[in-house]
């Protein structure tokens, strides 16, 4: 099935990591940027960030982090995308979704990602544990924990059985 072939596409290729949400401080994007820099060197990755830029000063700070870490060629700002097929197409072109929020209500993006067979990693905050269950349909990590985010990404990439289970 396409779900299992997707589960096998991570290994050996560039890992396509996706974030979908508003570009604002409480979404924890700075922690995601730090986490991808901590991935083991044998993992090739790219990060695509989809969302409206609500806080230009925060975006400037994120751009500085990207520049300081020398990852500008791997981080792609996609901007706002209308709900529906454009976002679903981006999900289909990705290997996993990360939602590193510091505060969250009930994020529909996790439901949408799972409906598009996309394994998810999310912070264990707000309504997220009501939407997904750790180890069953997502991996949940403590907020602000860059090491836990990096470890969860590596687990999904390297463990085909886990990937299949999350899908």
């Amino acid at each position: 099935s396409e779900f299992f072939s997707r589960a096998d596409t991570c290994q050996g290729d560039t890992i396509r990591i996706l974030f979908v949400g508003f570009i604002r401080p409480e979404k924890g994007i700075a922690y995601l940027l730090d986490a991808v820099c901590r991935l083991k060197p044998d993992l090739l990755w790219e990060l695509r960030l989809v969302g409206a830029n609500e806080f230009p000063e925060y975006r400037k700070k994120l751009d500085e982090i990207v520049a300081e870490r020398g990852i500008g060629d791997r981080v792609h700002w996609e901007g706002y995308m209308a709900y529906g097929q454009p976002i679903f197409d981006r999900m289909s072109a990705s290997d996993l979704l990360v939602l590193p929020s510091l505060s969250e209500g009930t994020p529909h993006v996790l439901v949408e990602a799972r409906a598009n067979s996309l394994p998810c990693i999310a912070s264990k905050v707000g309504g997220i544990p009501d939407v997904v269950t750790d180890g069953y349909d997502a991996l949940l990590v403590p907020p602000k924990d860059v090491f836990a985010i990096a470890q969860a990404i590596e687990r999904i990439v390297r463990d085909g059985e886990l990937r299949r289970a999350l899908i």
Side-chain angles (χ1 to χ4, degrees), residues 26-27 99-108 110 122-133 140-143:
E26 63 268 19
K27 292 298 184 175
L99 186 65
S101 299
L102 310 180
S103 171
E104 193 68 61
T106 304
H108 295 272
L110 293 176
S123 298
K124 191 174 182 177
V125 298
I128 290 175
D130 296 330
V131 176
V132 293
T133 302
L140 297 181
V141 297

Side-chain angles (χ1 to χ4, degrees), residues 40-104:
K40 292 194 171 102
D42 67 318
L43 287 181
L44 300 176
W45 58 268
E46 71 175 22
L47 173 61
R48 299 212 173 259
L49 298 114
V50 174
N53 182 13
E54 292 190 329
F55 293 86
E57 286 302 311
Y58 180 63
R59 170 61 194 272
K60 183 179 175 184
K61 175 185 171 189
L62 297 175
D63 286 336
E64 289 170 2
I65 292 169
V66 169
E68 288 169 5
R69 300 228 167 63
I71 56 173
D73 58 332
R74 296 183 188 195
V75 176
H76 308 281
W77 299 96
E78 307 265 322
Y80 171 80
M81 284 188 188
Y83 174 78
Q85 202 58 51
I87 290 178
F88 302 150
D89 288 345
R90 179 53 60 214
M91 288 179 178
S92 293
S94 299
D95 293 308
L96 61 106
L97 178 122
V98 181
L99 186 65
S101 299
L102 310 180
S103 171
E104 193 68 61

